[in-house]
Amino acid sequence: MPSTQTYESRSQTHPTAAGRKLLQIMAQKRTNLCLSVDHTDPEKILALVRQLGPKICLLKTHIDIIAFPPTTAASSIKSFTTKLQELSREHAFMIFEDRKFADIGSTVQHQYRGGVYEIASWADITNAHAVPGPGIIRGLKEVADGIGQPRGLLLLAEMSSKGNLGGGEYQQRTLAMARDREWRGFVMGFIAMKEVGGGEEGEDFIVMTPGVGLQVGGDGLGQQYRTPEEVVGRDGCDVVIVGRGIVGADDPVAIAEVYRERSWRAYEGRVKK
Ligand code: S5P
């Protein structure tokens, strides 16, 4: 059964600091919309975020698809991520770098902390595949613990794309990994297509779901879209992730409001049941 507890009440008790903060923002701003700002031009991204900041609880980035000017890449990246952080404070949303880490613990530590992107320094939330085993979580957590700010991790339990290998037994084993007490304050939830876990005392995983459109459909490359009502109301997911449906629209602000409103109403319907 989809969770009927409100975001507000979950924000008091969620086991992770990042989760409590996110749920609080969602309740206060009345939005469960995450913007996936899948653009390659940094200036266009900043302009969109300035416009859409008030409507979202979370901004999802793919830092490695952005075309930073090659000669000044490092300083451009720093100034870009600093601006995103400023906007996140101004408009009260969190930042989720959709890095989908998938390597051994030692390698992901470098990828999370270092390189040109220094993801751990600016992204409140990131995500990882469970395929390498628990060492990936341990490695990321060690980096997160050294940051001094709330940092949360989502595990990919299943994907929105056709033929993906997630779900089923893979998801069950991912859930078992997430439940380890060692990272209770770090693993805040999942990327999944429906509610996950909740069967154990005090457990509360935030489920974020991509593959959301205003109608059911696909993109010709395996992406599958469901509606906000299906994702939030019927299947009990918490945060709706929308990319091209907003970023590619003629009027992103108007469309974002439609997504926000429909996703929020679906949530209200769910918690009132
Ligand atoms: O299973 C997944 C997981 C993710 S994080 N399916 C996805 O589509 N995503 C991401 O969500 C994907 O990388 C993209 O950034 C976004 C969906 O974009 P859209 O344009 O299809 O809404």
Side-chain angles (χ1 to χ4, degrees):
M1 275 294 286
S3 171
T4 51
Q5 247 195 305
T6 63
Y7 297 140
E8 190 165 21
S9 74
R10 290 167 66 188
S11 77
Q12 317 284 316
T13 55
H14 197 272
T16 70
R20 287 191 294 277
K21 182 170 171 188
L22 180 66
L23 289 160
Q24 216 165 42
I25 290 173
M26 291 163 71
Q28 273 166 5
K29 286 176 77 177
R30 298 172 61 80
T31 176
N32 47 1
L33 177 63
C34 168
L35 172 68
S36 181
V37 68
D38 296 339
H39 221 295
T40 56
D41 177 341
E43 292 308 320
K44 278 201 180 141
I45 294 178
L46 291 170
L48 261 176
V49 176
R50 277 186 201 105
Q51 284 185 299
L52 298 174
K55 304 208 175 291
I56 61 175
C57 62
L58 187 64
L59 176 75
K60 187 172 86 57
T61 53
H62 277 299
I63 194 75
D64 58 359
I65 70 171
I66 301 174
F68 292 105
T71 49
T72 56
S75 62
S76 305
I77 293 164
K78 188 80 198 153
S79 108
F80 174 79
T81 55
T82 302
K83 280 181 197 152
L84 280 189
Q85 286 181 291
E86 283 163 11
L87 286 165
S88 84
R89 282 189 288 271
E90 185 183 330
H91 296 293
F93 58 80
M94 292 175 84
I95 303 174
F96 163 24
E97 164 57 24
D98 183 8
R99 174 62 180 75
K100 298 188 182 74
F101 292 104
D103 216 318
I104 59 166
S106 160
T107 301
V108 298
Q109 287 194 325
H110 290 296
Q111 293 171 326
Y112 188 29
R113 181 197 297 123
V116 285
Y117 298 123
E118 299 182 342
I119 293 166
S121 72
W122 53 269
D124 304 289
I125 297 167
T126 191
N127 55 355
H129 288 288
V131 77
I136 188 170
I137 307 176
R138 191 169 293 124
L140 293 169
K141 181 177 180 292
E142 279 180 15
V143 173
D145 286 347
I147 298 294
Q149 304 279 339
R151 291 288 176 260
L153 181 71
L154 303 163
L155 293 176
L156 285 111
E158 61 181 323
M159 295 189 69
S160 59
S161 43
K162 202 171 181 173
N164 80 89
L165 304 180
E169 195 200 338
Y170 182 85
Q171 175 163 322
Q172 285 314 310
R173 295 181 68 178
T174 304
L175 172 62
M177 222 184 271
R179 281 177 166 156
D180 194 315
R181 296 260 143 192
E182 188 181 334
W183 32 78
R184 194 170 156 73
F186 181 50
V187 177
M188 63 189 286
F190 295 97
I191 297 289
M193 302 301 115
K194 55 187 168 311
E195 197 184 18
V196 182
E200 296 201 348
E201 181 68 32
E203 176 169 288
D204 181 6
F205 292 114
I206 299 173
V207 172
M208 307 201 185
T209 306
V212 182
L214 294 178
Q215 58 257 323
V216 173
D219 72 350
L221 286 175
Q223 178 67 299
Q224 306 176 106
Y225 292 110
R226 295 177 300 153
T227 64
E229 290 76 18
E230 290 170 331
V231 165
V232 178
R234 184 190 67 196
D235 295 337
C237 304
D238 295 308
V239 175
V240 161
I241 299 174
V242 183
R244 286 163 290 178
I246 294 174
V247 174
D250 290 336
D251 187 347
V253 177
I255 290 289
E257 178 55 21
V258 174
Y259 275 101
R260 190 205 63 77
E261 229 253 315
R262 278 179 58 174
S263 306
W264 190 258
R265 260 204 266 136
Y267 154 73
E268 285 187 328
R270 181 178 100 197
V271 295
K272 274 190 199 116
K273 266 180 205 154

